[in-house]
Amino acid sequence: MAKMEVKTSLLDNMIGVGDMVLLEPLNEETFINNLKKRFDHNEIYTYIGSVVVSVNPYRSLPIYSPEKVEDYRNRNFYELSPHIFALSDEAYRSLRDQDKDQCILITGESGAGKTEASKLVMSYVAAVCGKGAEVNQVKEQLLQSNPVLEAFGNAKTVRNDNSSRFGKYMDIEFDFKGDPLGGVISNYLLEKSRVVKQPRGERNFHVFYQLLSGASEELLDKLTLERDFSRYNYLSLDSAKVNGVDDAANFRTVRNAMQIVGFLDHEAESVLEVVAAVLKLGNIEFKPESRVNGLDESKIKDKNELKEICELTGIDQSVLERAFSFRTVEAKQEKVSTTLNVAQAYYARDALAKNLYSRLFSWLVNRINESIKAQTKVRKKVMGVLDIYGFEIFENADNSFEQFIINYCNEKLQQIFIELTLKEEQEEYVREGIEWTHIDYFNNAIICDLIENNTNGILAMLDEECLRPGTVTDETFLEKLNQVCATHQHFESRMSKSSRFLNDTSLPHSCFRIQHYAGKVLYQVEGFVDKNNDLLYRDLSQAMWKAGHTLIKSLFPEGNPAKINLKRPPTAGSQFKASVATLMKNLQTKNPNYIRCIKPNDKKAARIFSEALVCHQIRYLGLLENVRVRRAGYAFRQAYEPCLERYKMLCKQTWPHWKGPARAGVEVLFNELEIPVEEYSFGRSKIFIRNPRTLFKLEDLRKQRLEDLATLIQKIYRGWKCRTHFLLMKKSQIVIAAWYRRYAQQKRYQQIKSSALVIQSYIRGWKARKILRELKHRKRCEEAATTIAAYWHGTQARRELKRLKEEARRKHAVAVIWAYWLGLKVRREYRKFFRANAGKKIYEFTLQRIVQKYFLEMKNKMPSLSPVDKNWPPRPYLFLDSTHKELKRIFHLWRCKKYRDQFTDQQKLIYEEKLEASELFKDKKALYPSSVGQPFQGAYLEINKNPKYKKLKDAIEEKIIIAEVVNKINRANGKSTSRIFLLTNNNLLLADQKSGQIKSEVPLVDVTKVSMSSQNDGFFAVHLKEGSEAASKGDFLFSSDHLIEMATKLYRTTLSQTKQKLNIEISDEFLVQFRQDKVCVKFIQGNQKNGSVPTCKRKNNRLLEVAVP
């Protein structure tokens, strides 16, 4: 036999007992204590054989992660600790590998977690089945059908904030590979009475509150609705808001889910219009009006609501008004019209609202089925998930027709559970070759017959009473029950009890009691007849059929005059009975899997376990009965291979390896342990153990043996560790000795080598010093000869220079004398021509002297070298006007150049920015003149030096151009929030002033424009490119004390990076994009309460007003 892989087991590290079949002793007290012990340790799942018992923890537990899904994937049911994933995996693998259709039945009372359990089953199946675009779409549609049905079919009750008020059965269809193809949903008994009336502390269906809370203003206006819940009579106000529930967010989720499932836009709008019509029906009120014949006729008090309903649904107002005031009865060829009094009118209004909503819900289920149904016609495998109401028992005889129907359904489910469980047990015994023995159990078929018998059943008598002519009341129905069911052992009433006993004060006169499998339930007979009739006047059906609204018209086909059917419609009881029969027939064709949900307390609080409440649920769920049926034969069974692998260490012959077949090994093991033969039986592939004590004995022996083996392993390990340590020490000693000998020889060699080097260095030093002395002597001799030669050459040079100077003086004297002589000669020759050109010469000489004087005076009157100094000497002569101006211009350019030459590169950049600011804002923005004298600093926060912003500095790798605190204007109310404004070479960033965390990052390529007013304020808007990621929340609106500097630097940086000029818009009105809306920012003059600080205020959805002093 090959070595098997050791796996974990249900019995390992078990808290309490993981499978109630193994509980010893078995009674109600030990059952509850075991559940409580596991619940206190966050073990909310427990098995009863193949049944999963789930206790609602009322909090999130880390047991549903993707890692958990992988843990339970393709694992044996009992291989790991109890979990809903184990049952889901077992059902899915049986469907995929064994081609068996499956159904998962989830039961429990409201608040026990049935809906969450069904979601977990579906999510697990979706996670483990195949992948692919089409498969993922089918899985997404199946999962997204839940939010839609929950919105329209769930409500807040005193027991549960998300209570399912309808029964749901979903068939998920798979192909031969196990990939989902589609699904079909069936709904049972929607609690439509909740539409018109809710018990105290409860709400109407979720969709009404979600619509009013989450719909846009535009949609509400279209539906003529208001957000105020108090405006609608059908909505209870004491529980309108639920803690932890965001109706607005849930409405968006529902709309998204409808789109994913496949609802078209006009279909979704039609559904919401019907919901709005139901809400408005509750606001119609009636008043009595006397007629000539003395009878009262109902009239509508305020016709505005009726008018809005008619406009919404496309119904003629007069037709609907008449339907609320008159009732037409047809009998053969005759029509009789009677007036409705106020009470009948209110009944008609509520009946219409209930029918309209109920039929809308059925239409929704059918529409979802159209979208999620399998598109192929290949043979399909089916997994059904049944999420249906659990057994309901209210106190103070508050149990009515709805509870009666629900409990009837649970009786049928209990019946099929016992039948299928026994059938499964018997099939396994036959399959394994174990003799089947009869098991005694309580058969609740007698209770089902009491309710559903076609002749004497309670439902049959209720239908008969509803169809009987004459006066029909709930009291006459009770009298009939007393006559027919008086002798039935599971039926009790005051009159039936009086025939056998003197008196029973626990039974009121208007009640009857049924002994269900889960206990006695007292039913209040009031309302049975009306709720079973579920009557809607034909006039209202015909009025609905005449509606211009396509959906509403399709919901009332019986209103078509061409298809008038005088036959009375089936009662609610008979419809539900037929649905339950169909469901039972469907379930009997599938392999069942059960999840029993239990609510630990009524406070919906975590870590609270109410034993009385849990005991009550254990009784009506029949869990002890389940355990007794499961362990009536053999309490535990296991395949031979894992059994031998788990207990083989208890026998020397099977430990550590068994070479033969696994069954033979188990036989040897059990014979060695001397377990009585009557305590076990050998099947074809499994060992069957009768008593849990035998299993626990095996576990105790295994635990003791594991401790002994652990001791043996420790002993052997310690010996091996000591031997290994000794050998290591011995080897280390040899290595150390070798290394020491090597070290000693190396050290001796180094000493000898060092001594030789010292001697060599002394000898070399002596020789070097001797050579140095010789070289120094030779150098001194050479320097002396050079000095003497230099002095001699100097004397010779000075003598030659003196001679040359004397010769030059002589030549210069000759030249001067010769020049004077030539001058005298020329003057004598040209003196005769001087008088003819005297005037012109004098003019030119005078002009030359004036110009010379002008330039000499200008030299002394020059202004300062400051470029801003506008002083300039006055013009002395008119003819020098153009010269004077040109000199002024040249001088100004020269001194500007001299001034610029003094600048550093950083100062040049600052003046370039100042020049850019002048071109952008001079004579355009009133704030500009005050900014001229302020130097542009850029980094006002000194992020590199301040340790507070170390985290922010580390997050930014680029050079920071601007770091300034600005006020970011809130888009919703105009209030401001401080933010750090950072500008780098490529991005614009906003960070939180306190934490330094970056809130927004905008690439400069996404900045399209900067807008500001022309007034003396610091507000400006940064517009972002539409469609970009940064523009998802809209543009930014800021306020800053350094507006001119920030806009200039943003303009220059954007131009440098994108090579495109940033558009600077200066206007007292401009548009800003806030999310999906365009808001106008308008600047006005006003007196400020807080001095000279501008204020910003949101006027409406389209206007943001800034008051500037």
Side-chain angles (χ1 to χ4, degrees):
M1 176 179 170
K3 184 178 179 181
M4 297 174 60
E5 180 186 0
V6 178
K7 296 182 179 179
T8 57
S9 169
L10 171 71
L11 301 172
D12 287 332
N13 302 321
M14 187 167 57
I15 297 172
V17 178
D19 190 343
M20 289 294 187
V21 176
L22 305 178
L23 187 63
E24 190 70 25
L26 176 63
N27 54 55
E28 195 172 79
E29 181 180 357
T30 58
F31 194 101
I32 295 173
N33 289 338
N34 187 56
L35 281 181
K36 185 176 187 302
K37 184 176 182 180
R38 292 179 62 78
F39 178 79
D40 292 340
H41 289 81
N42 294 330
E43 294 287 342
I44 64 172
Y45 296 112
T46 308
Y47 291 154
I48 301 178
S50 60
V51 178
V52 175
V53 179
S54 171
V55 183
N56 192 344
Y58 285 118
R59 61 193 177 98
S60 297
L61 294 177
I63 59 175
Y64 307 108
S65 62
E67 292 77 15
K68 278 288 182 183
V69 172
E70 291 301 319
D71 288 344
Y72 283 87
R73 187 173 186 173
N74 295 326
R75 302 294 284 270
N76 184 273
F77 185 75
Y78 296 102
E79 192 171 334
L80 299 176
S81 59
H83 202 290
I84 195 173
F85 286 170
L87 181 137
S88 304
D89 187 74
E90 183 77 11
Y92 176 71
R93 285 191 294 111
S94 297
L95 175 140
R96 182 191 63 191
D97 302 335
Q98 302 176 21
D99 204 18
K100 293 181 180 179
D101 288 348
Q102 303 289 317
C103 64
I104 299 177
L105 281 68
I106 307 172
T107 57
E109 75 168 49
S110 179
K114 300 187 298 300
T115 302
E116 288 302 317
S118 67
K119 290 180 183 178
L120 289 171
V121 170
M122 292 179 66
S123 65
Y124 179 85
V125 173
V128 300
C129 63
K131 301 293 187 290
E134 294 183 2
V135 174
N136 290 338
Q137 181 181 0
V138 172
K139 290 193 290 187
E140 187 68 14
Q141 287 184 335
L142 290 173
L143 293 175
Q144 290 300 324
S145 64
N146 279 325
V148 179
L149 294 179
E150 284 185 12
F152 287 86
N154 289 23
K156 188 259 183 194
T157 66
V158 292
R159 296 184 175 186
N160 187 1
D161 289 343
N162 187 32
S163 175
S164 298
R165 308 316 300 164
F166 71 104
K168 182 180 72 172
Y169 177 75
M170 173 183 281
D171 268 335
I172 307 174
E173 299 173 335
F174 298 83
D175 62 7
F176 70 95
K177 298 178 294 183
D179 294 339
L181 297 174
V184 179
I185 300 174
S186 302
N187 66 298
Y188 301 94
L189 194 64
L190 177 71
E191 189 189 11
K192 57 186 177 183
S193 60
R194 180 172 293 272
V195 174
V196 299
K197 184 179 179 182
Q198 306 91 41
R200 185 171 183 81
E202 299 190 2
R203 294 205 315 177
N204 210 323
F205 292 102
H206 291 328
V207 68
F208 296 112
Y209 304 92
Q210 292 174 359
L211 174 61
L212 297 181
S213 300
S216 63
E217 294 294 340
E218 181 182 357
L219 180 57
L220 289 179
D221 291 341
K222 183 177 180 181
L223 300 177
T224 64
L225 294 176
E226 300 179 18
R227 293 202 188 277
D228 187 5
F229 297 155
S230 62
R231 284 276 294 109
Y232 304 100
N233 297 331
Y234 279 167
L235 301 184
S236 59
L237 300 180
D238 56 338
S239 301
K241 295 291 185 182
V242 181
N243 292 334
V245 176
D246 188 348
D247 288 319
N250 290 340
F251 179 74
R252 292 189 291 272
T253 301
V254 171
R255 291 298 299 269
N256 183 57
M258 292 178 75
Q259 186 177 3
I260 293 174
V261 170
F263 281 80
L264 302 177
D265 291 341
H266 71 86
E267 290 178 330
E269 292 177 3
S270 298
V271 170
L272 296 180
E273 288 170 355
V274 175
V275 173
V278 172
L279 269 180
K280 288 182 169 296
L281 275 174
N283 289 352
I284 296 179
E285 297 182 350
F286 302 94
K287 61 182 178 180
E289 187 174 291
S290 299
R291 303 184 68 188
V292 178
N293 57 8
L295 298 177
D296 285 342
E297 177 185 350
S298 67
K299 289 292 183 182
I300 297 175
K301 287 184 180 180
D302 185 1
K303 296 185 180 181
N304 287 332
E305 292 287 352
L306 182 66
K307 180 181 178 183
E308 291 179 356
I309 293 174
C310 293
E311 291 175 350
L312 199 61
T313 59
I315 302 174
D316 188 351
Q317 183 174 343
S318 61
V319 173
L320 188 56
E321 185 176 1
R322 175 176 174 78
F324 282 133
S325 301
F326 295 89
R327 178 188 179 189
T328 303
V329 180
E330 297 184 21
K332 296 183 179 180
Q333 302 298 325
E334 298 182 0
K335 289 186 179 181
V336 179
S337 180
T338 60
T339 60
L340 300 179
N341 57 32
V342 172
Q344 292 172 330
Y346 277 115
Y347 173 84
R349 180 200 69 176
D350 291 345
L352 176 60
K354 291 188 291 185
N355 272 271
L356 188 57
Y357 191 83
S358 174
R359 298 183 188 203
L360 172 64
F361 186 78
S362 299
W363 180 88
L364 277 171
V365 173
N366 294 332
R367 180 64 184 82
I368 291 174
N369 286 337
E370 290 179 10
S371 296
I372 66 176
K373 68 181 179 181
Q375 302 299 322
T376 60
K377 296 184 179 180
V378 298
R379 182 177 177 274
K380 309 176 186 69
K381 304 175 184 180
V382 178
M383 177 185 289
V385 180
L386 177 63
D387 174 8
I388 202 162
Y389 6 69
F391 206 88
E392 289 194 353
I393 304 176
F394 294 147
E395 298 178 356
N396 303 323
D398 287 337
N399 304 290
S400 186
F401 179 75
E402 290 85 2
Q403 283 68 46
F404 176 76
I405 291 294
I406 290 172
N407 294 344
Y408 161 62
C409 180
N410 279 271
E411 286 285 358
K412 295 293 290 183
L413 290 174
Q414 176 69 7
Q415 184 183 25
I416 195 173
F417 169 73
I418 297 296
E419 291 177 358
L420 293 178
T421 302
L422 289 176
K423 180 181 177 183
E424 183 183 359
E425 285 283 297
Q426 186 175 3
E427 287 178 351
E428 184 173 19
Y429 278 42
V430 172
R431 187 169 57 250
E432 293 292 331
I434 304 295
E435 182 181 355
W436 171 257
T437 56
H438 177 72
I439 299 175
D440 292 327
Y441 66 95
F442 171 68
N443 190 346
N444 67 336
I446 187 173
I447 303 175
C448 296
D449 185 69
L450 169 65
I451 298 173
E452 67 181 3
N453 188 283
N454 292 330
T455 305
N456 298 324
I458 295 177
L459 287 176
M461 287 186 286
L462 180 58
D463 287 349
E464 183 180 335
E465 192 69 10
C466 291
L467 299 174
R468 179 176 63 83
T471 304
V472 178
T473 63
D474 296 317
E475 288 73 17
T476 60
F477 166 61
L478 183 58
E479 290 175 4
K480 191 160 189 173
L481 288 181
N482 291 331
Q483 293 173 6
V484 178
C485 304
T487 58
H488 199 287
Q489 58 181 334
H490 291 277
F491 177 85
E492 301 173 6
S493 72
R494 195 173 183 87
M495 292 189 65
S496 65
K497 293 290 288 184
S498 296
S499 64
R500 288 178 284 165
F501 303 99
L502 294 176
N503 193 14
D504 186 355
T505 57
S506 66
L507 272 170
H509 287 283
S510 61
C511 297
F512 65 91
R513 182 186 294 147
I514 294 180
Q515 175 69 50
H516 288 282
Y517 79 91
K520 293 183 177 182
V521 182
L522 186 64
Y523 295 104
Q524 173 62 253
V525 77
E526 181 181 350
F528 262 61
V529 173
D530 285 341
K531 292 177 180 178
N532 188 53
N533 267 326
D534 193 22
L535 185 61
L536 179 66
Y537 297 150
R538 183 174 286 110
D539 301 75
L540 289 172
S541 297
Q542 293 176 350
M544 292 296 104
W545 187 84
K546 294 176 182 178
H549 197 281
T550 307
L551 176 56
I552 293 179
K553 186 172 183 176
S554 67
L555 296 180
F556 294 87
E558 75 275 13
N560 188 351
K563 299 180 181 180
I564 292 179
N565 185 3
L566 299 181
K567 185 179 179 180
R568 188 181 182 92
T571 61
S574 61
Q575 291 180 33
F576 188 72
K577 177 182 173 183
S579 299
V580 170
T582 304
L583 176 63
M584 297 300 115
K585 185 178 179 181
N586 191 0
L587 294 179
Q588 286 176 340
T589 63
K590 296 179 174 62
N591 185 47
N593 303 270
Y594 297 93
I595 301 174
R596 305 294 204 186
C597 298
I598 292 178
K599 181 169 66 172
N601 59 79
D602 278 327
K603 299 178 181 179
K604 296 179 278 191
R607 298 187 177 89
I608 298 178
F609 190 92
S610 173
E611 295 186 8
L613 179 63
V614 173
C615 177
H616 173 70
Q617 295 173 81
I618 289 173
R619 289 174 181 171
Y620 75 64
L621 286 173
L623 297 185
L624 283 175
E625 187 77 13
N626 295 356
V627 179
R628 292 190 181 100
V629 170
R630 186 68 172 79
R631 64 186 288 181
Y634 292 91
F636 183 77
R637 72 266 345 245
Q638 191 175 26
Y640 290 122
E641 288 80 4
C643 180
L644 180 61
E645 183 67 25
R646 185 167 183 83
Y647 301 113
K648 63 181 180 180
M649 72 286 297
L650 301 180
C651 177
K652 293 182 179 179
Q653 299 178 48
T654 58
W655 178 259
H657 302 296
W658 173 254
K659 303 298 183 181
R663 173 171 176 167
V666 175
E667 291 179 355
V668 170
L669 174 65
F670 275 51
N671 290 332
E672 177 75 17
L673 296 176
E674 298 182 350
I675 297 175
V677 178
E678 62 272 11
E679 285 295 320
Y680 62 89
S681 290
F682 291 103
R684 291 189 176 91
S685 63
K686 295 181 180 179
I687 176 73
F688 287 75
I689 298 175
R690 186 179 301 277
N691 200 307
R693 286 193 298 271
T694 304
L695 179 65
F696 293 143
K697 178 183 176 182
L698 288 173
E699 285 296 311
D700 292 339
L701 291 174
R702 179 177 180 271
K703 183 178 180 181
Q704 182 61 42
R705 181 59 178 158
L706 288 177
E707 292 178 357
D708 296 340
L709 289 174
T711 304
L712 178 62
I713 292 171
Q714 287 177 347
K715 181 181 72 173
I716 295 173
Y717 171 73
R718 290 190 184 112
W720 170 84
K721 188 176 181 180
C722 289
R723 284 192 299 275
T724 304
H725 183 67
F726 168 74
L727 293 175
L728 180 63
M729 292 288 289
K730 183 179 179 181
K731 181 179 180 181
S732 300
Q733 185 269 334
I734 295 172
V735 172
I736 292 171
W739 277 86
Y740 176 75
R741 286 192 294 271
R742 175 187 175 190
Y743 166 75
Q745 291 297 325
Q746 285 178 341
K747 187 174 181 181
R748 185 168 177 272
Y749 167 75
Q750 291 293 341
Q751 288 177 346
I752 296 173
K753 182 179 179 181
S754 177
S755 300
L757 291 176
V758 170
I759 295 171
Q760 288 176 353
S761 64
Y762 272 101
I763 293 174
R764 292 191 187 100
W766 174 76
K767 287 183 177 180
R769 286 192 292 276
K770 182 178 179 182
I771 294 172
L772 179 62
R773 285 195 296 272
E774 293 175 356
L775 291 175
K776 284 184 177 179
H777 176 72
R778 190 184 304 166
K779 183 179 180 181
R780 282 197 293 272
C781 293
E782 291 175 355
E783 287 178 352
T786 302
T787 302
I788 294 170
Y791 272 99
W792 166 249
H793 291 150
T795 303
Q796 290 292 99
R798 284 192 293 276
R799 287 177 181 174
E800 181 64 19
L801 178 61
K802 185 176 180 182
R803 186 185 65 78
L804 291 174
K805 283 183 179 181
E806 183 64 29
E807 184 177 350
R809 277 198 298 271
R810 290 176 183 159
K811 289 181 179 180
H812 183 263
V814 173
V816 170
I817 295 170
W818 176 250
Y820 271 98
W821 162 247
L822 289 179
L824 178 62
K825 187 177 181 180
V826 168
R827 283 192 296 275
R828 287 177 180 176
E829 184 176 353
Y830 283 91
R831 188 172 295 168
K832 55 185 174 182
F833 304 106
F834 177 74
R835 292 179 182 175
N837 297 322
K840 182 178 179 181
K841 294 287 185 179
I842 293 172
Y843 171 78
E844 291 176 352
F845 177 79
T846 304
L847 190 61
Q848 183 179 4
R849 291 298 297 167
I850 292 173
V851 171
Q852 184 179 7
K853 181 181 179 183
Y854 167 75
F855 281 117
L856 292 174
E857 289 178 354
M858 284 292 293
K859 177 182 177 182
N860 299 326
K861 296 180 180 179
M862 280 295 178
S864 65
L865 294 180
S866 173
V868 296
D869 187 1
K870 296 185 179 181
N871 295 324
W872 185 248
R875 180 195 62 203
Y877 303 100
L878 183 60
F879 74 95
L880 293 175
D881 182 71
S882 58
T883 304
H884 193 73
K885 292 179 180 179
E886 184 65 15
L887 282 176
K888 179 179 179 182
R889 186 184 68 81
I890 294 172
F891 178 80
H892 180 69
L893 293 176
W894 173 78
R895 67 181 177 182
C896 287
K897 181 180 180 305
K898 295 289 287 184
Y899 187 84
R900 287 196 303 271
D901 291 341
Q902 300 173 8
F903 293 165
T904 62
D905 292 340
Q906 184 177 0
Q907 289 175 324
K908 288 182 180 179
L909 180 62
I910 292 174
Y911 278 93
E912 286 176 4
E913 290 177 348
K914 284 288 186 179
L915 182 60
E916 195 79 61
S918 174
E919 294 175 358
L920 291 174
F921 303 107
K922 186 175 182 181
D923 299 328
K924 299 177 183 178
K925 177 72 175 172
L927 187 67
Y928 171 74
S930 61
S931 70
V932 174
Q934 298 177 358
F936 289 176
Q937 298 181 13
Y940 291 90
L941 297 183
E942 296 183 346
I943 290 179
N944 295 331
K945 299 179 180 179
N946 195 336
K948 176 181 177 182
Y949 301 116
K950 183 178 184 303
K951 179 179 178 182
L952 181 60
K953 174 191 172 185
D954 295 339
I956 300 173
E957 298 178 357
E958 300 176 280
K959 177 185 177 182
I960 298 176
I961 300 173
I962 291 180
E964 163 68 331
V965 175
V966 300
N967 292 323
K968 178 178 173 292
I969 308 303
N970 191 295
R971 300 178 174 93
N973 52 26
K975 295 183 178 179
S976 61
T977 305
S978 294
R979 289 284 186 267
I980 297 176
F981 183 100
L982 298 172
L983 177 63
T984 65
N985 290 331
N986 295 304
N987 297 295
L988 187 153
L989 302 99
L990 292 178
D992 187 80
Q993 186 181 7
K994 295 181 179 179
S995 64
Q997 181 181 1
I998 295 176
K999 296 291 186 180
S1000 300
E1001 183 172 357
V1002 181
L1004 291 182
V1005 295
D1006 292 340
V1007 178
T1008 59
K1009 184 172 67 173
V1010 174
S1011 299
M1012 63 187 72
S1013 74
S1014 62
Q1015 302 185 37
N1016 193 17
D1017 62 276
F1019 284 82
F1020 68 102
V1022 178
H1023 301 270
L1024 306 180
K1025 184 188 296 181
E1026 292 186 2
S1028 64
E1029 182 180 354
S1032 59
K1033 293 185 179 180
D1035 302 332
F1036 293 102
L1037 185 60
F1038 301 105
S1039 174
S1040 171
D1041 295 333
H1042 302 92
L1043 166 61
I1044 301 300
E1045 179 183 356
M1046 295 176 74
T1048 303
K1049 287 183 180 290
L1050 180 59
Y1051 175 88
R1052 288 174 59 84
T1053 307
T1054 304
L1055 180 61
S1056 173
Q1057 294 299 319
T1058 64
K1059 309 303 179 184
Q1060 295 180 357
K1061 292 185 178 180
L1062 180 64
N1063 186 13
I1064 304 292
E1065 180 185 1
I1066 300 177
S1067 174
D1068 289 342
E1069 285 188 23
F1070 52 85
L1071 294 177
V1072 179
Q1073 184 78 27
F1074 283 169
R1075 292 188 183 274
Q1076 305 301 324
D1077 301 323
K1078 287 190 179 293
V1079 178
C1080 177
V1081 180
K1082 184 177 181 180
F1083 293 80
I1084 62 171
Q1085 296 288 336
N1087 295 324
Q1088 306 303 310
K1089 297 180 180 179
N1090 54 352
S1092 60
V1093 179
T1095 58
C1096 182
K1097 186 174 182 182
R1098 185 74 178 261
K1099 288 295 186 179
N1100 51 50
N1101 289 341
R1102 302 293 181 181
L1103 180 61
L1104 193 67
E1105 199 170 81
V1106 180
V1108 182

